[in-house]
Amino acid sequence: MDQLRDESLDLLVDLARPTSHDAVLDYATGAGMAGFTVAPDVATVEAVDEQPDLLEEGERLATELGLVNVAFALVDLYALPYKDGAFSLIVCHDALHLLPEPVAALVEMQRVLSAGGRIVILDAVVDEVTDRAFNEVARLREPAHRRHQRADELEAVVGRAGLAVRRRGALRRTVDLDYWLQAAAVPPAKAELIRGRFKALPVDVQAGMDVAFADRLVSFSYDVVGLRLERA
């Protein structure tokens, strides 16, 4: 399991504080990493997404890892097929930036959240210096990308959904550019284009993203914010 993890998943666990009684919804799960992380400590995990190919990969990984309490479902993320209050813990990891209507997504999460339950969201954030450049390369990497927001914008979205922030966490994540591109299955020609964009970034943006070059190797950093949410 360790080879599948990144440090932001440790932050997710710290904010979520999963228990053996939790029924968990892993919202916009992708291939299931957040759900897999909490699965050993909770009763059940329902991992949902709108991308069938990612769900198939998640099912394969769950079987490989022997996680029998994780189920995958293809859903409409804005009209979940669950009754009100069905889940005591909802996690949304590295996905809010992909959603065209994040407020509506949070409202729907809140609908299926039980009384006293919590929602934990984690996503990359930008600042005034890195906003435009990081979002441009993120969109080149992943066409479904909408926008990485500033931390204050993310909290404003949460407020518009009628949720309150109860705990905050943050970390600085450093990644190898090739790994970041391979994780999104970026084709070689586009990968070269993105590599060129990094080399052409203004000096202040390179400094803001801790961009480092060594021969053909490129690394960079970005901030991740985690929020534990409850009903306002």
Side-chain angles (χ1 to χ4, degrees):
M1 186 69 195
D2 288 343
Q3 72 271 21
L4 299 174
R5 293 174 67 89
D6 68 56
E7 58 269 36
S8 67
L9 293 170
D10 295 323
L11 176 58
L12 181 146
V13 171
D14 180 61
L15 290 169
R17 303 288 174 90
T19 75
S20 60
H21 302 293
D22 277 321
V24 179
L25 177 69
D26 182 5
Y27 185 92
T29 182
M33 294 300 106
F36 296 163
T37 300
V38 300
D41 300 315
V42 302
T44 61
V45 177
E46 191 80 4
V48 300
D49 209 302
E50 296 181 336
Q51 305 296 323
D53 54 335
L54 293 175
L55 294 171
E56 288 176 9
E57 176 65 7
E59 288 177 330
R60 184 190 67 78
L61 288 170
T63 299
E64 185 177 303
L65 294 166
L67 296 173
V68 297
N69 63 335
V70 181
F72 288 82
L74 182 66
V75 302
D76 177 345
L77 290 172
Y78 300 98
L80 295 169
Y82 307 110
K83 65 181 181 180
D84 295 359
F87 301 97
S88 58
L89 171 61
I90 299 173
V91 296
C92 181
H93 176 261
D94 194 27
L96 213 62
H97 65 97
L98 300 172
L99 301 176
E101 299 178 57
V103 174
L106 286 165
V107 168
E108 181 63 359
M109 289 185 224
Q110 185 176 180
R111 181 186 68 78
V112 298
L113 184 67
S114 63
R118 64 271 192 222
I119 299 170
V120 175
I121 60 173
L122 274 84
D123 219 330
V125 294
V126 294
D127 59 24
E128 291 80 0
V129 173
T130 61
D131 188 341
R132 180 176 176 179
F134 190 36
N135 275 300
E136 284 181 352
V137 295
R139 199 167 293 113
L140 281 172
R141 171 186 182 256
E142 195 169 14
H145 172 77
R146 297 289 175 151
R147 183 164 180 265
H148 290 304
Q149 303 182 72
R150 298 191 308 272
D152 61 319
E153 292 176 317
L154 183 58
E155 292 209 22
V157 166
V158 165
R160 291 200 298 275
L163 291 160
V165 178
R166 299 305 185 200
R167 284 188 63 205
R168 296 172 178 83
L171 59 85
R172 183 80 166 169
R173 189 177 185 210
T174 299
V175 295
D176 173 78
L177 177 60
D178 286 339
Y179 170 82
W180 189 67
L181 297 173
Q182 290 166 9
V186 177
K190 186 176 280 190
E192 282 302 312
L193 173 63
I194 294 172
R195 190 173 285 106
R197 290 289 180 91
F198 269 85
K199 291 179 179 178
L201 288 173
V203 173
D204 62 336
V205 177
Q206 290 194 21
M209 295 174 61
D210 300 330
V211 179
F213 302 97
D215 297 322
R216 281 185 54 81
L217 299 178
V218 182
S219 66
F220 69 97
S221 302
Y222 57 88
D223 293 316
V224 175
V225 165
L227 302 175
R228 175 174 166 143
L229 312 174
E230 297 175 11
R231 288 188 174 88

